[in-house]
Amino acid sequence: MKFTRNEAIRSIESTQEWDITIIGGGATGLGIAVDAASRGYKTLLVEKYDFAKGTSSKSTKLVHGGVRYLANGDVKLVMSALKERGLIFKNAPHVSFVQSFVIPSYDFFGKMKFLIGLKLYDWLAGKLRIGKSTLLSKSEVIEKLPKVKQKNLIGGIQYFDGQFDDARLALNLGQTASEHGAVVLNYSEASAILKDDKGTVTGIEFIDRDTDKKYTIKSKAVINATGIFVDDILKLDVAAHKNLVRPSQGAHIVIDKKFLGNIDALMIPETSDGRVLFGVPWHDKVLLGTTDTPLNAHQIEPRPLEEEIQFILTTANDYLDNAPTRQDVLSVFAGLRPLAAPTDNDSNSTKEISRDHKLIKSKSGLITITGGKWTTYRKMAEETVDLAITTGNLAPKACQTTTLQIHGYSTERREGHWQVYGSDTEQIKNLVKETPSLGNRLHPNYDFIEAEVVWASRNEMIYNIEDFLARRIRFLLLDAKASLLAAPRVAELMANELQKDENWVKAQLENYSALVKNYTL
């Protein structure tokens, strides 16, 4: 089946009943779709917006065990995450790779404390260890981080962790699920949970936001994997449901790579708010983040708060010479993660819903999965599908995902942004051989080309220009203002591919222009 909305709608209209229906197309939901479909279950996933539109495309781009969780004594979670990190490297090597991190040290005891912790981190990874933590001299730290502040610097520590492209992996999970028979559809909003006369869940209703047509879906098991929005779906199940989660915002800024130096990442283990702050090379830029700000309401497009931007810039200034200022910020973005909803006498709690994930089965049989982290998406999916098998009285089938190669799988290293396309790269370049003008750049300073828009329109289920610019090629997150200059040509190419008119193009450009303001200072 082609990975397009039209094909997905056709399959939905010709299917009487599903084994497993998933609400939510972020890391968790897409991982569940891959697990369920690869076991052979008839699987449907509906997502209100685009895949990974929310938190799953707004992460710090790290595949890691969680050094800070180790500091909190959560050894079990770290061990599980380190194992899953290794599996992502094995199954999706085109979108993930090993990243070197350097912690600059300005006092001896701090240096030794972190070295001991990171040696334990290495040891916990066992056979899936990806590098060895070592002490660095002052000169070695300066060589790896040329822009680091040298006053009182006594040395540092180098350790290794994982990095990835979150939105591209999310898309590839959707494609993998589709290749195993799942139907995966974006811009489809779950509007009701259906039940029989005993109050047991029997399916869902959803609205295709392209046509506003309502679909009734029969399903043996229904899974709520909507991340920060889980309470919205739980209220469809029980109107009086009391909120389970509250959002916490993590902000990031993107700057030119000249502010950091080489290929190594900076890790600041103890900031003034107790968070870990990273400076990570990513797609030829540097990503600085993240913060931890409890909020009272969730939204699909959160904007970094002024104090968060200031905090990141101030912290960077503490560690870097000629540190970036507001004028140097190319893009800003924020992601939300779930905190446990506060009780009346604990209104300012910043306790996470679960450092690990939380799996809940409602009285009606609705399954909800929340918490967790990108790195452990596969393990979360496995446990969720196991519960869906018993809940939906499905014939048991073993999990297949520990060795399942993700769409795009390739061990070949490719230049620049072509790396994330993996095995699809040559097919995109073949479009240029057929139509040479598709080799034209979308922006003179970036190597994105027109053929990628055509490819995404035909094979990556893009519905609007934001899907392409924000999540298929990451341009919005890398350089928001530059991406706006590419938008008119992207809209023109998409309109041609998707048979849209001039009114569509005009509306797309207006919407995208408004969105870009959210990503610029």
Side-chain angles (χ1 to χ4, degrees):
M1 186 177 90
K2 287 189 73 176
F3 196 70
T4 65
R5 295 193 82 257
N6 288 343
E7 285 290 325
I9 293 287
R10 271 196 284 273
S11 292
I12 288 166
E13 289 177 344
S14 63
T15 303
Q16 298 302 309
E17 186 176 32
W18 304 84
D19 292 325
I20 294 175
T21 295
I22 303 144
I23 306 169
T28 307
L30 291 162
I32 293 166
V34 170
D35 187 297
S38 62
R39 295 197 207 197
Y41 297 117
K42 197 175 281 188
T43 304
L44 171 65
L45 179 146
V46 294
E47 159 58 42
K48 183 177 180 180
Y49 303 103
D50 185 31
F51 309 119
K53 158 80 170 165
T55 306
S56 295
S57 64
K58 309 282 180 59
S59 75
T60 315
K61 323 305 178 196
L62 301 180
V63 187
H64 61 140
V67 174
R68 72 187 180 101
Y69 297 138
L70 189 60
N72 294 336
D74 206 336
V75 174
K76 181 168 166 276
L77 171 64
V78 173
M79 285 185 73
S80 173
L82 287 171
K83 179 189 172 189
E84 294 302 319
R85 177 188 72 179
L87 294 179
I88 289 175
F89 286 153
K90 283 185 175 179
N91 298 333
H94 60 297
V95 287
S96 62
F97 56 92
V98 175
Q99 173 68 55
S100 158
F101 290 79
V102 174
I103 304 175
S105 298
Y106 296 87
D107 73 272
F108 176 78
F109 291 107
K111 182 167 78 168
M112 298 316 294
K113 177 179 79 173
F114 295 127
L115 179 67
I116 292 165
L118 288 164
K119 286 288 186 186
L120 176 59
Y121 192 62
D122 291 347
W123 179 75
L124 289 172
K127 285 189 284 188
L128 292 170
R129 189 177 78 179
I130 56 176
K132 185 179 176 186
S133 299
T134 53
L135 280 175
L136 300 176
S137 66
K138 177 178 178 178
S139 62
E140 287 172 323
V141 171
I142 294 166
E143 183 187 348
K144 291 181 181 299
L145 298 175
K147 304 298 183 182
V148 74
K149 284 214 163 146
Q150 297 180 26
K151 187 181 179 184
N152 299 325
L153 180 70
I154 62 168
I157 302 158
Q158 181 180 32
Y159 76 100
F160 296 86
D161 227 325
Q163 200 202 52
F164 77 137
D165 188 302
D166 47 10
R168 289 298 308 181
L169 179 55
L171 170 71
N172 291 159
L173 291 174
Q175 292 168 311
T176 306
S178 177
E179 286 158 6
H180 285 84
V183 174
V184 178
L185 184 66
N186 55 6
Y187 297 98
S188 49
E189 181 180 356
S191 52
I193 302 290
L194 305 178
K195 300 176 185 177
D196 62 16
D197 51 11
K198 294 176 184 170
T200 303
V201 169
T202 57
I204 68 165
E205 278 182 357
F206 80 84
I207 300 164
D208 173 12
R209 283 303 175 201
D210 183 42
T211 59
D212 284 334
K213 183 176 176 181
K214 188 177 283 187
Y215 290 86
T216 300
I217 300 299
K218 283 183 68 181
S219 186
K220 294 171 186 172
V222 175
I223 297 165
N224 172 15
T226 51
I228 201 73
F229 299 97
V230 288
D231 290 314
D232 297 353
I233 303 302
L234 285 165
K235 282 169 185 169
L236 294 179
D237 181 33
V238 178
H241 163 77
K242 198 170 180 184
N243 282 358
L244 186 69
V245 305
R246 170 195 192 187
S248 171
Q249 180 162 291
H252 302 81
I253 68 173
V254 177
I255 53 175
D256 193 274
K257 63 181 179 181
K258 71 182 181 185
F259 290 103
L260 191 58
N262 294 331
I263 58 171
D264 299 276
L266 166 70
M267 196 269 225
I268 301 167
E270 291 180 335
T271 63
S272 59
D273 78 342
R275 290 281 292 179
V276 171
L277 192 89
F278 293 99
V280 188
W282 188 65
H283 286 307
D284 216 34
K285 303 293 184 205
V286 167
L287 187 76
L288 290 176
T290 180
T291 56
D292 186 17
T293 309
L295 303 176
N296 291 319
H298 57 259
Q299 54 184 328
I300 192 62
E301 272 295 344
R303 178 175 167 83
L305 304 173
E306 182 57 39
E307 56 263 36
E308 292 179 301
I309 293 160
Q310 254 338 108
F311 170 78
I312 294 171
L313 290 171
T314 302
T315 305
N317 188 56
D318 291 341
Y319 286 85
L320 299 173
D321 281 329
N322 302 312
T325 64
R326 292 177 67 87
Q327 286 69 40
D328 300 307
V329 174
L330 298 170
S331 187
V332 298
F333 64 92
L336 303 179
R337 63 191 182 92
L339 300 178
T343 55
D344 294 337
N345 55 3
D346 186 25
S347 60
N348 292 313
S349 168
T350 58
K351 187 183 176 198
E352 291 176 74
I353 179 78
S354 175
R355 288 203 182 92
D356 210 334
H357 50 278
K358 194 165 190 170
L359 196 50
I360 304 157
K361 181 180 161 187
S362 302
K363 281 183 184 175
S364 64
L366 176 68
I367 296 166
T368 295
I369 173 84
T370 190
K373 46 195 274 192
W374 236 123
T375 309
T376 56
Y377 86 87
R378 191 212 62 83
K379 182 66 178 168
M380 292 162 65
E382 181 181 346
E383 292 179 16
T384 307
V385 174
D386 285 345
L387 179 57
I389 290 168
T390 57
T391 303
N393 293 314
L394 303 172
K397 296 174 186 176
C399 177
Q400 305 293 313
T401 55
T402 51
T403 56
L404 186 71
Q405 292 181 355
I406 302 304
H407 178 94
Y409 176 95
S410 172
T411 56
E412 183 184 333
R413 286 287 154 201
R414 293 173 169 84
E415 284 296 310
H417 80 286
W418 292 106
Q419 175 61 33
V420 297
Y421 284 111
S423 61
D424 286 340
T425 303
E426 299 318 309
Q427 294 178 73
I428 302 169
K429 291 184 174 179
N430 283 341
L431 294 174
V432 180
K433 290 177 184 173
E434 295 163 13
T435 311
S437 65
L438 292 179
N440 293 339
R441 289 187 175 208
L442 293 171
H443 188 286
N445 298 343
Y446 292 85
D447 60 357
F448 305 120
I449 61 173
E450 292 185 4
E452 295 171 71
V453 187
V454 174
W455 172 262
S457 299
R458 295 175 186 175
N459 301 284
E460 295 187 346
M461 210 183 280
I462 53 173
Y463 179 71
N464 57 43
I465 64 173
E466 179 204 332
D467 300 339
F468 179 76
L469 288 165
R471 287 172 292 281
R472 304 303 186 270
I473 66 169
R474 318 317 310 274
F475 204 173
L476 175 64
L477 271 63
L478 294 169
D479 191 335
K481 287 178 182 171
S483 79
L484 187 57
L485 295 176
R489 184 59 180 146
V490 171
E492 193 180 337
L493 289 162
M494 278 185 67
N496 184 53
E497 285 294 320
L498 303 177
Q499 284 85 55
K500 302 293 185 181
D501 60 18
E502 279 301 312
N503 290 332
W504 180 88
V505 170
K506 187 179 175 211
Q508 286 290 307
L509 293 175
E510 285 174 0
N511 291 342
Y512 191 71
S513 182
L515 179 71
V516 164
K517 289 175 184 168
N518 223 33
Y519 288 75
T520 50
L521 296 183

